[in-house]
Structures are given as C-alpha cells and as structure tokens.
Amino acid sequence: MAASGIEELEWIWMNGEFVPWQDAKVHVLSHALHYGTGVFEGIRCYDGDQGPAVFRHREHLERLERSAELYYMKIPYSVDELAESTRELIRRNGLRSCYIRPLVFRGYGEMGLYASHSEVDVTIAVWPWGAYLGEEGKKVGIKAKVSSWRRISPLSLIPQAKASGQYLNSILAKTEAADSGYDEAILLDERGMVCEGSGENIFVVRDGEVATPPSVASILDGISRRSIMKIAKDLGYEVVVRDIARGELYQADEVFLTGTAAEMVPVRSVDQHDLGEPGEITRSLQERFEDALYGRAPEYGSWLDPVGEPTAPAPPEPRPDQVQAEEIGEPKPRIVESQ
Ligand code: PPE
C-alpha cells in the first residue's frame, strides 16, 4: 500500500531560515516527540477584497507566546519577527490563501523531564486549504456527540495553553465521535459543564440569548470565539458568557462551533437530539464573520494583516483523484499518494 503524504510546497520557515520543504526535519530524540513539549497556533490567510491578509495575526502570535511561557519556553523571536516571516513565507510559496501552523517545541539535545535549558525550536508551515473542504458542514450543519472523554482538567494541565501534548485529549474525543458516525465531539469539563469541541469553541442560542462557556470551563480562549462575540454584540444580540449544562445543548434553538480551521459551523444535532436546519442567528453571524474574514466589513478591517502579492508562481492544483475525502472541520493539507 502506498503511503500517503502531504503535497509539497517550496518553503518552510525553521529557526530563522527559509528551508526547502523536504529539509524541514527533526531528530528522533527531539524532546517534544517524546513528551509533547510543544505549543502551536492555527491561523488563516484569506484572499479577500484587499488582497491576501492574515486574520488576527498578532492575537494568534501573542497567544503562541503565552502558551510557550506557560510551559516554560521562551520564543527567541518577537511577534513582529514571526509575523513578518509568516507573510514572507506565504509570498514565497506563491499562496494567496492558506492555513498557517507555527510550532514552538523543545528540540534535540536533552532528554528527561526537566529540560528547561534545552533549545527551543520554532517552525512555521503554510499550506493551501481549499474552501470546499468542510463546505457542506458549514452549509447544512454537522452531527455532534457529547464525548465520553472529559476536557483536560486545570488540576492537571493548562487548558488555556495551546500545547501539543494536550491534543491527545482532543484526539481521543474526535476519534470516538468519528468512529461512532458523528462529525465532531463536544467535551464537557471536569465538572460536567459544556466546554468545547475537539478543536472549536461552542455557542448555544436559546430565546435570542447567545451563550458561550467561560474560561473557568477549561476552554481554549478562541480568537474566532472572541470575534464572533464582538460581531454578535455589534449586531445587537445578547451575548452571555456563562456555564452551560449538557441538557441545554439538547434544547437549544441553535448551536454552532467556532475555530480557525472550522470557521463557523452550525450543529444540526447533538447525540440523538435533532436541532433542525441552521437557525437565523447562526446564519447572520456566519455571514458577517465571512465579511470580516474577506475584508468586506470595514469596521473589522483592523483584524486583517495584509500579506502582499505572491513573489513565486502558485503551486499546482492537485489532480481530483489525488484529493482524499475530507472530514468536516479538519485543517488537513491536501493529501496525495506518494509516487
Ligand atoms: N478549542 C480548541 C481545543 C482548539 O484547538 C481551537 C483551535 C479552538 C478552541 C478555537 O480557537 P481559535 O482558532 O483561536 O478560534 N483549533 C486549531 C487546531 C485544530 C486542529 O484540528 O488542528 C485551529 O482551528 O486551527
């Protein structure tokens, strides 16, 4: 069986240099590979009305810095340096829109748990992510399952950090949901309150109130979540940050998820409870959010960081037979069979 691989682009940014895609490698004794000692971001660049622009670039990179700090890593580059490197990487790879994955991790040189002085590696990869992926879910809504796995507890880890090792929790929940025929998992926190999806924040709408769980419910403080809250307030909706009980999911007028990869996705059922077609509030927020992402809403113009025109030709499109079926909400690169 041919192994499947990721379609190559030209460049990956690695520790201050633009490295050919194939050469962006690490040693098997890299600390993060053994202990999960990495932090990362998921960011997106949109080819909008004012040209290619990164959505809330600074906020994402500041969260990366905070995540690193929470796990005792100091990033040897400033936010400005990382932002400029990312813009340059997008231009050099010939892209106008893409997913952006910065990763900060303990590299090669020291093993054992107390490796506070070992080197911190920083990489940034970008890859195209066709808008058609998960487009169906964005339109008609997805089927969600309340996970049997609880979200990582603040008693053991730091839910506010976007840390590599912590994603084992998301992987357990996502795999359980997918293997049971659902599109996404909804995790409860250690108290049994609604927390979030495996890679998205959650909103519940009832009687016009737009509610989302608070930080104490162990959520990742999502940047899409904050953007949707702002947009919802601007549209005149009542936005409330409060604990949400599991039963409220089943009785909601509308439920939706938000995340960089997933963007804004309506939930059409939770467990065996049908919530119906995506509702009016979900639709209006989705439309406004898209306007913001694509530079069509001047009031949110400051959320966009212009990248400039590509300095290299666009990468070739994969042949249709090379594209694997895509699951809803997953930020996967285009998958091709290796030759
Ligand atoms: N919660 C979790 C656990 C999470 O991973 C994400 C982002 C969010 C909430 C939403 O955060 P924000 O993107 O700032 O609105 N998940 C990233 C990685 C997902 C993945 O499967 O990989 C993402 O959406 O890029």
Side-chain angles (χ1 to χ4, degrees):
M1 194 181 84
S4 61
I6 295 168
E7 191 202 355
E8 274 176 48
L9 295 177
E10 281 288 308
W11 304 105
I12 284 181
W13 187 90
M14 205 167 177
N15 296 324
E17 319 232 319
F18 293 92
V19 173
W21 186 276
Q22 287 285 357
D23 299 338
K25 294 177 178 165
V26 297
H27 196 275
V28 292
L29 292 183
S30 295
H31 197 270
L33 216 45
H34 298 248
Y35 306 115
T37 42
V39 297
F40 67 97
E41 269 303 318
I43 316 175
R44 291 186 71 174
C45 175
Y46 292 90
D47 190 15
D49 282 12
Q50 276 87 50
V54 179
F55 186 67
R56 309 202 74 170
H57 202 179
R58 175 161 284 277
E59 288 91 330
H60 278 283
L61 293 175
E62 284 173 354
R63 187 172 67 186
L64 183 72
E65 269 195 333
R66 288 197 303 275
S67 296
E69 196 273 330
L70 287 167
Y71 282 106
Y72 315 110
M73 290 183 279
K74 170 106 186 76
I75 303 179
Y77 304 95
S78 67
V79 163
D80 285 336
E81 285 168 332
L82 293 177
E84 180 44 35
S85 305
T86 302
R87 292 187 295 260
E88 173 77 25
L89 185 66
I90 295 168
R91 292 192 294 266
R92 281 200 193 198
N93 278 311
L95 299 171
R96 305 187 65 88
S97 64
C98 58
Y99 186 73
I100 305 164
R101 172 55 61 87
L103 173 68
V104 174
F105 61 101
R106 291 231 181 258
Y108 174 64
E110 214 175 314
M111 288 304 256
L113 300 183
Y114 185 64
S116 299
H117 305 293
S118 77
E119 73 179 88
V120 172
D121 286 324
V122 185
T123 64
I124 307 168
V126 297
W127 62 78
W129 182 27
Y132 61 93
L133 305 178
E135 204 55 54
E136 185 68 4
K138 267 166 68 178
K139 273 204 201 97
V140 303
I142 58 151
K143 288 168 62 184
K145 174 194 193 321
V146 173
S147 184
S148 72
W149 297 99
R150 293 290 170 92
R151 166 79 169 157
I152 48 168
S153 163
L155 297 173
S156 310
L157 286 164
I158 309 172
Q160 288 76 21
K162 198 165 169 61
S164 304
Q166 300 189 160
Y167 276 80
L168 286 174
N169 175 240
S170 295
I171 286 170
L172 286 174
K174 178 77 183 192
T175 305
E176 178 190 68
D179 288 352
S180 316
Y182 295 85
D183 300 307
E184 185 52 293
I186 296 171
L187 289 91
L188 307 178
D189 70 8
E190 87 282 3
R191 304 167 304 161
M193 293 296 163
V194 173
C195 178
E196 60 184 7
S198 72
E200 308 86 18
N201 291 112
I202 192 165
F203 287 78
V204 174
V205 179
R206 178 125 195 234
D207 296 333
E209 180 204 72
V210 180
T212 192
S215 279
V216 292
S218 300
I219 63 164
L220 180 78
D221 186 356
I223 289 160
S224 321
R225 169 181 177 270
R226 285 188 180 243
S227 307
I228 290 291
M229 284 165 67
K230 168 85 175 107
I231 289 171
K233 281 180 194 158
D234 291 350
L235 287 176
Y237 296 118
E238 186 194 356
V239 180
V240 183
V241 176
R242 63 166 176 83
D243 274 330
I244 294 169
R246 177 177 186 162
E248 290 186 75
L249 293 173
Y250 303 149
Q251 300 175 55
D253 295 331
E254 306 176 32
V255 174
F256 61 86
L257 304 172
T258 64
T260 300
E263 299 180 318
M264 199 184 140
V265 184
V267 175
R268 71 163 189 270
S269 66
V270 182
D271 297 335
Q272 270 56 260
H273 303 270
D274 191 18
L275 301 177
E277 301 274 296
E280 197 186 311
I281 294 180
T282 303
R283 283 285 174 242
S284 69
L285 291 174
Q286 218 176 13
E287 201 184 305
R288 205 69 196 128
F289 187 49
E290 293 258 313
D291 286 346
L293 298 177
Y294 286 94
R296 297 189 296 256
E299 65 268 49
Y300 307 120
S302 64
W303 287 351
L304 294 171
D305 177 24
V307 169
E309 293 297 308
T311 54
E317 286 293 315
R319 293 197 316 268
D321 60 318
Q322 291 179 315
V323 181
Q324 261 187 4
E326 189 65 27
E327 276 182 67
I328 289 161
E330 282 297 299
K332 286 189 197 122
R334 295 178 300 198
I335 306 293
V336 295
E337 291 295 299
S338 62
Q339 301 304 305

